[in-house]
Amino acid sequence: MGHNPLIVPSIRAIICDETGKVLFTKGNGRWGMPAGSIELGESIYETLQREVKEETGLEVVSATLIAIYSGKPMVENSYHDKYQLFEFLFKVDSWEGELLSKTDETTDAEFFAIDARPVARNGFWGEHFTEVFEDYQNYKGTLILK
């Protein structure tokens, strides 16, 4: 496929502790929520389970789909490949296991209060993360489609 623009289905997970703090992981020097792209042969829910496990060590027991984002502009990755965001946002309702602060994909993991969360990134990603948290806080049981 070379450098042709693609549509990449992916997930983003909001995981809260018992006090309502949200889990952030650090990778490539940046804070963000567990996220990643679907692999061949996976369902989107299996992608959620795999990505959360790879980035946090936690096992997703149950989760609720909150939003689907598909109308965003093209994004460019560090390899200068362009893709259109097609993201499924899940709230992880229950999880098991021990949180790992370091994995093959992350260098830190920590729960933060929503209003004291780390600045994830500037530009598009910073705006998207703000939108994600607004949607999470405004979610009333009806799937948000954007």
Side-chain angles (χ1 to χ4, degrees), residues 22-139:
V22 178
L23 180 62
F24 279 79
T25 59
K26 192 173 193 179
N28 297 323
R30 297 180 176 153
W31 287 100
M33 294 152 279
S37 300
I38 194 169
E39 293 182 357
L40 290 175
E42 279 185 327
S43 72
I44 204 67
Y45 191 78
E46 289 168 334
T47 302
L48 170 70
Q49 292 174 310
R50 176 183 51 77
E51 287 292 343
V52 168
K53 181 76 171 175
E54 286 176 354
E55 295 182 13
T56 70
L58 302 175
E59 295 184 34
V60 174
V61 175
S62 65
T64 300
L65 180 61
I66 293 176
I68 300 174
Y69 303 96
S70 62
K72 301 292 181 183
M74 286 286 203
V75 177
E76 190 171 313
N77 66 19
S78 59
Y79 302 105
H80 304 290
D81 295 319
K82 293 182 180 178
Y83 61 95
Q84 181 173 339
L85 185 68
F86 183 30
E87 183 176 89
F88 295 80
L89 174 64
F90 286 91
K91 176 188 175 289
V92 175
D93 300 312
S94 62
W95 44 273
E96 296 177 339
E98 181 181 340
L99 177 62
L100 302 176
S101 59
K102 291 185 181 183
T103 69
D104 290 342
E105 297 189 9
T106 60
T107 57
D108 201 357
E110 189 175 336
F111 286 94
F112 292 88
I114 290 177
D115 59 352
R117 66 187 184 267
V119 176
R121 298 179 185 179
N122 294 324
F124 170 80
W125 286 111
E127 293 168 12
H128 180 60
F129 291 171
T130 297
E131 179 180 25
V132 161
F133 277 103
E134 288 173 358
D135 290 342
Y136 166 68
Q137 291 175 306
N138 293 323
Y139 178 72

